[in-house]
Amino acid sequence: MSRKIGIVGGTGPEGSGLAARWAAAGEHIIIGSRDASRAAETAKLLRARLGSNAKIEGADNASAVAQCEVDVLTVPFSAQAALLKQLKPHWKPGHILIDTTVPLAAAVGGAPSRMLSVWQGSAAQQARELVPTSVPVAAAFHNLSAELLAQDGPVDCDILVCSDDDEAKRVASELAEKIPGARALNGGKLENARIVESITALLIGLNVRYKVHTGGIRFTGLPVK
Ligand SMILES: NC(=O)c1ccc[n+]([C@@H]2O[C@H](COP(=O)([O-])OP(=O)(O)OC[C@H]3O[C@@H](n4cnc5c(N)ncnc54)[C@H](OP(=O)(O)O)[C@@H]3O)[C@@H](O)[C@H]2O)c1
């Protein structure tokens, strides 16, 4: 397998959790950061955990985008727009962006169980506006807790994947199903990311009320893979 997956903002818990799961499944991962040495340190820690066969390296965010066919954005909503504007020159046609960003009110000092209103409708639609039109965007992994990713064993949840592009949706779904216990569901068009992102705020509230950090979602009555 020759493709590389870049995790922009991959030094945080969500990005490094996804990186670890995908590296364990044999994917070649480039952790991205504003600081290449921080990315290298995260990559080193993940290799130490997963074993020396794990293909995980670190790079600055721009290099991660430039060298990877698929990039997953895992930064806080407050950082999303500025970072994507900065990265715009580094995308090439055929690249795919998978956005995990949730516009939680916490990004501007509010409650993490409330959503910010985004002019475009969702963080994913804002991302769509900020990368070249030749780069398809999928929205996924919003409802997958970093704490669950960090644990060993299957995650036991559904991953809703939204996109207007069939290939981006296929790649995001394939990556979701590389995480043991995850089932990818076709969430429809990118505009549905508005609904999926807001489920995260609901999950955070449930986590608080039930004193866990691992809440997720499962849909019933659909074909089981
Ligand atoms: N945590 C979860 O359970 C979870 C679950 C589902 C979805 N999400 C979503 O996934 C995204 C990442 O979550 P997280 O908890 O991993 O976030 P985080 O720890 O707050 O941030 C992730 C990384 O983003 C980079 N970053 C922070 N501020 C930045 C800025 N101003 N400009 C550029 N980069 C910046 C940092 O990397 P460097 O300092 O190395 O550049 C940081 O390590 C969020 O949008 C969140 O809503 C999180």
Side-chain angles (χ1 to χ4, degrees), residues 31-131:
I31 298 277
S33 167
R34 288 169 290 183
D35 176 345
S37 64
R38 193 156 52 236
E41 184 60 26
T42 300
K44 189 175 158 193
L45 290 172
L46 290 173
R47 281 196 307 274
R49 197 180 118 205
L50 294 169
S52 55
N53 283 343
K55 291 173 281 181
I56 311 184
E57 297 155 54
D60 62 83
N61 285 325
S63 308
V65 167
Q67 66 179 294
C68 294
E69 296 77 13
V70 179
D71 278 279
V72 183
L73 186 64
T74 58
V75 296
F77 177 71
S78 53
Q80 190 212 39
L83 184 58
L84 286 178
K85 282 180 194 162
Q86 192 189 320
L87 295 175
K88 197 160 188 177
H90 301 284
W91 298 98
K92 294 190 190 68
H95 279 185
I96 288 172
L97 172 64
I98 302 173
D99 186 57
T100 73
T101 316
V102 183
L104 296 173
V108 292
S113 56
R114 289 189 182 151
M115 297 291 287
L116 290 172
S117 170
V118 184
W119 182 262
Q120 292 84 349
S122 64
Q125 288 165 288
Q126 175 168 278
R128 171 63 286 165
E129 282 191 1
L130 294 169
V131 295

Side-chain angles (χ1 to χ4, degrees), residues 176-196:
E177 299 215 336
K178 290 201 168 208
I179 301 170
R183 175 178 66 168
L185 290 177
N186 183 346
K189 289 177 172 285
L190 196 67
E191 65 185 25
N192 285 347
R194 178 177 55 87
I195 303 166
V196 180

Side-chain angles (χ1 to χ4, degrees), residues 168-218:
K169 196 181 275 182
R170 187 193 67 73
V171 170
S173 302
E174 181 200 343
L175 287 175
E177 299 215 336
K178 290 201 168 208
I179 301 170
R183 175 178 66 168
L185 290 177
N186 183 346
K189 289 177 172 285
L190 196 67
E191 65 185 25
N192 285 347
R194 178 177 55 87
I195 303 166
V196 180
E197 290 170 9
S198 64
I199 292 172
T200 308
L202 186 69
L203 282 171
I204 291 170
L206 284 165
N207 280 341
V208 170
R209 289 189 287 282
Y210 287 89
K211 298 182 174 38
V212 296
H213 296 97
T214 49
I217 52 168
R218 274 293 190 202

Side-chain angles (χ1 to χ4, degrees), residues 5 10-11 17 25 29 39 42 64 82 94 100 119 132 135 140 146 157 161 164 170 185 196 201 216 221:
I5 298 171
T11 53
I29 305 295
T42 300
T100 73
W119 182 262
V135 175
C157 64
V161 181
D164 299 330
R170 187 193 67 73
L185 290 177
V196 180

Side-chain angles (χ1 to χ4, degrees), residues 143 157-160 183 185 199 217-224:
N143 312 139
C157 64
D158 287 337
I159 308 292
L160 288 161
R183 175 178 66 168
L185 290 177
I199 292 172
I217 52 168
R218 274 293 190 202
F219 288 83
T220 61
L222 299 172
V224 179

